[in-house]
Amino acid sequence: MSKKKAAKPAPKKAAKAAKAASSNNKSLLVENRVFKPSAEFSKKARISSMAQYKKMHEESLKHPDKFFGREAKELNWSKPFTKVLDWKCPNAKWFVGGKLNVSENCLDRHLEGPRKTKAALIWEGEPGEKRVLTYQQLHREVCRFANVLKRNKVKKGDRVIIYMPMIPEAAIAMLACTRIGAMHSVIFGGFSAESIKDRVLDCGAKIIVTADGGYRRGAVVPLKKNVDDALKGGDTPVETVIVHRRTGQDVHIEEGRDVWWHRELEYVDANCAAVAMDSESPLFILYTSGSTGKPKGILHTTGGYLLHAQMTCKYVFDLRDDDVYWCTADIGWVTGHTYMVYGPLALGATSLMFEGAPNWPENDRFWKIIEEYAVTVFYTAPTAIRSFMKWGDEWLKKHDLSSLRLLGTVGEPINPEAWMWYHNKVGGGKCPIVDTWWQTETGGHMLTPLPGATPTKPGTATLPFFGVDAAIVDDLGKEVGVNEQGKLVIRKPWPSMLRGIWGDKKRYQDAYWSDFKGWYFAGDGARRDKDGNFWIIGRIDDVLNVAGHRLGTAEVESALISHPSVAESAVVGRPDEMKGQGVVCFVTVKEGITANRELADELKKHVRKVIGPVATPDEIRFAAALPKTRSGKIMRRLLKQIAAGELIKGDTTTLEDINVIAQLAASSGED
Ligand code: ATP
Ligand code: MG
């Protein structure tokens, strides 16, 4: 594998380690490159050594009352809590008796000092418009829109659907809901009418906040029309639709149901008291990405969620007043909720929001933004990083990225090759990378390096965050040995854990708390190396069993990506009479590479060399694109059906491009 090459600009010690790794045929199972934070970075960081991390982590598990009681004091409580945790599996109550308001914590409390006039949100629209909202301005807009919601009969506990483009009004609508104690459920702007209807019915929303349209790669997305289609037939509980004017296109306005955002503002003032909410009051419902099946309506509550969001921004991103922080996730995903809106604003940071795609109008749009706003902390997904690699380095070279000091990733395991590229090409070899493992259900980071303390290795999310008691166990709940694969479980409740699946107590219990008594399990497989680092190897349902050997999808995919011709890959098992399962690899190649039988043979040999004979692919299928969810995750369950020659079954509504499936099914294989 090309590890030697990738490790070139790395520190001397790491290069030596890389050499050792590349001579080891088990390779990805033994990633030896270690990147320690620089002394300069550590000196300035809030957590600056492993000793400090360990001490705090231990305290957080042994004395959660003390640890979280202290951390929670950094939030503004209108009524103090009397008890930190009340836990009766699977029901957790954090900060019992306490009252607080999320919008008050994200806005009002920053207005007393110099943050009042600091940028809270920096926004750039796809066509290039720019807007900055200071804390004071954002506060005013949130109060006004909260009054609009009240005017439209939204009450505490009501569900408000937000289906908007990536514009400040999306964040304003979310914060306005929290101000009056309504729950929001944000639906990604790329979803169809059908997906909207499913979610409206599932959560029983009376109101939808949307826009006439949004921009995506130069085209206009007909958001309002999708809402109209979803509500056709009148068999939903929706009574009101508030429409923000974004694109100015003509839209249908249904008398008695639809109102314009800007017209409504004419009737309200900018005074709106924040309602003191119980710590356990429902805050929002968010549907999961649907990688493994029908999306689940995950319920989060107020105090614990906000604390974890703030704490992780403080310790993981180590955000400071002079940072310009950019999370590229869409607001429709949990990452957009916790790490674009709630976490950074609770901490009083500056959060950048960008409406468009990374390759519009050209492949360097992200780098242009980083340069222009002097972004210091950048948080994106492996799927984006793999696209950047595919497009080539020349796009980066045009821009000065020297403002960056810290990088992060989330969403999927990051392949070591992609990690190295991110580290060297984007971070200039000097920025720590925080590879954060978490889920919609967990509300915030669970496994992650702390950038001033944790030595990182390409491809591992390293160690548990404070309060997180993670372990890898076999089916009986016994901890497995070093480098052995098992199920990743969390053995203690944590503040931002989900409190349920909306309207389905039984599914909540069955999905997360039934495999192991008293422990949380949400489907991922992992292993731990000798230093205790956690390596996510993929969904447990996707793990391959080849001739009695368990192979993680992430490992085979990383081996393929380490070949210079491969841009992206997805590996699935296919029933095989002899071996139990055969290994089928779907591969997209880099620009300018010809996909033919020779390359397929070469890739088979490559995987064999990198991982070992057991992983040798039975079939390489070249594809123009892989099926992904709208949040960019590969949908392996569909590929499994294609590999087995079956018809596609199950929910495909969260698929990004349905045509990809038809193309893949039509393609016959290796040439
Ligand atoms: P569904 O539950 O509906 O199938 P989903 O699991 O894709 O959808 P999310 O909650 O958005 O929905 O994704 C969480 C999952 O993403 C994790 O369970 C894990 O598989 C993967 N993941 C997230 N971050 C990382 C990471 N840093 N490393 C490895 N895997 C990650
Ligand atoms: Mg999931």
Side-chain angles (χ1 to χ4, degrees), residues 78-238:
S78 34
K79 185 171 165 234
F81 50 90
T82 49
K83 193 173 174 197
V84 169
L85 172 65
D86 188 343
W87 172 231
K88 208 168 152 263
C89 184
N91 300 310
K93 288 188 184 143
W94 282 87
F95 311 114
V96 182
K99 282 184 187 276
L100 76 170
N101 181 280
V102 167
S103 86
E104 197 268 337
N105 271 279
C106 290
L107 301 167
D108 306 49
R109 67 168 163 156
H110 303 310
L111 302 183
E112 276 145 35
R115 283 186 188 145
K116 184 171 168 178
T117 51
K118 167 186 171 165
L121 278 183
I122 296 178
W123 174 77
E124 185 164 308
E126 186 182 90
E129 316 97 303
K130 298 174 198 315
R131 252 171 95 187
V132 175
L133 285 162
T134 63
Y135 272 95
Q136 189 174 29
Q137 288 169 319
L138 184 59
H139 173 261
R140 182 180 151 82
E141 294 310 316
V142 168
C143 289
R144 291 170 78 208
F145 194 67
N147 285 334
V148 168
L149 290 176
K150 282 203 255 182
R151 219 182 95 75
N152 283 280
K153 303 195 196 70
V154 178
K155 296 195 183 57
K156 196 168 156 175
D158 285 351
R159 274 81 60 207
V160 177
I161 294 273
I162 299 175
Y163 178 67
M164 297 198 88
M166 286 277 286
I167 55 176
E169 282 69 20
I172 290 168
M174 288 164 74
L175 287 158
C177 287
T178 72
R179 197 159 188 91
I180 60 170
M183 302 163 68
H184 57 69
S185 185
V186 182
I187 300 178
F188 171 55
F191 278 142
S192 62
E194 190 191 342
S195 309
I196 301 170
K197 186 165 183 178
D198 283 352
R199 287 161 177 74
V200 162
L201 291 176
D202 191 78
C203 75
K206 283 195 307 195
I207 183 161
I208 298 182
V209 183
T210 188
D212 50 359
Y215 294 105
R216 193 70 183 167
R217 295 198 173 90
V220 168
V221 185
L223 297 173
K224 175 62 168 58
K225 178 164 187 310
N226 292 345
V227 170
D228 291 340
D229 290 347
L231 302 185
K232 225 176 246 162
D235 54 348
T236 75
V238 173

Side-chain angles (χ1 to χ4, degrees), residues 496-507:
S496 63
M497 62 187 264
L498 76 165
R499 301 299 198 266
I501 294 179
W502 183 253
D504 201 341
K505 270 197 179 142
K506 187 170 174 316
R507 193 173 176 201

Side-chain angles (χ1 to χ4, degrees), residues 4 8 149 265 323 338 343 384 421 426-427 443 493 516 584 621 645 664:
K4 264 185 220 159
K8 230 186 239 164
L149 290 176
L265 285 181
D323 273 316
T338 310
W421 185 89
V426 181
F516 305 100
V584 180
R621 286 176 77 152
L664 282 167

Side-chain angles (χ1 to χ4, degrees), residues 14-65:
K16 219 168 117 195
K19 211 170 153 197
S22 68
S23 65
N24 184 330
N25 270 359
K26 278 200 211 127
S27 139
L28 296 168
L29 297 173
V30 192
E31 169 65 69
N32 284 327
R33 290 170 288 191
V34 179
F35 295 83
K36 289 197 172 145
S38 69
E40 199 197 336
F41 193 101
S42 294
K43 209 168 70 199
K44 292 187 196 144
R46 289 186 176 98
I47 307 291
S48 56
S49 69
M50 281 306 281
Q52 193 185 352
Y53 158 73
K54 281 184 185 147
K55 195 168 155 231
M56 285 174 71
H57 187 252
E58 198 180 298
E59 188 198 8
S60 71
L61 295 190
K62 280 196 181 147
H63 309 288
D65 290 2

Side-chain angles (χ1 to χ4, degrees), residues 337-408:
H337 281 50
T338 310
Y339 296 113
M340 189 186 333
V341 181
Y342 294 121
L345 296 180
L347 204 57
T350 296
S351 182
L352 193 148
M353 180 180 200
F354 170 54
E355 182 185 28
N359 56 350
W360 184 266
E362 289 201 293
N363 292 344
D364 63 344
R365 186 70 186 267
F366 275 17
W367 318 130
K368 231 170 140 172
I369 292 176
I370 292 179
E371 178 171 11
E372 183 170 339
Y373 297 93
V375 170
T376 55
V377 180
F378 179 60
Y379 190 36
T380 195
T383 180
I385 297 169
R386 290 191 298 261
S387 299
F388 300 138
M389 290 170 78
K390 183 173 168 180
W391 297 334
D393 298 355
E394 65 269 20
W395 296 103
L396 282 160
K397 288 188 190 139
K398 294 206 243 170
H399 299 280
D400 177 6
L401 306 181
S402 61
S403 57
L404 289 170
R405 66 175 191 86
L406 176 63
L407 304 174

Side-chain angles (χ1 to χ4, degrees), residues 288 292 296 439 441 522 539:
T288 55
T292 53
K296 304 171 275 279
Q439 307 175 303
E441 293 89 339
R539 318 279 176 156

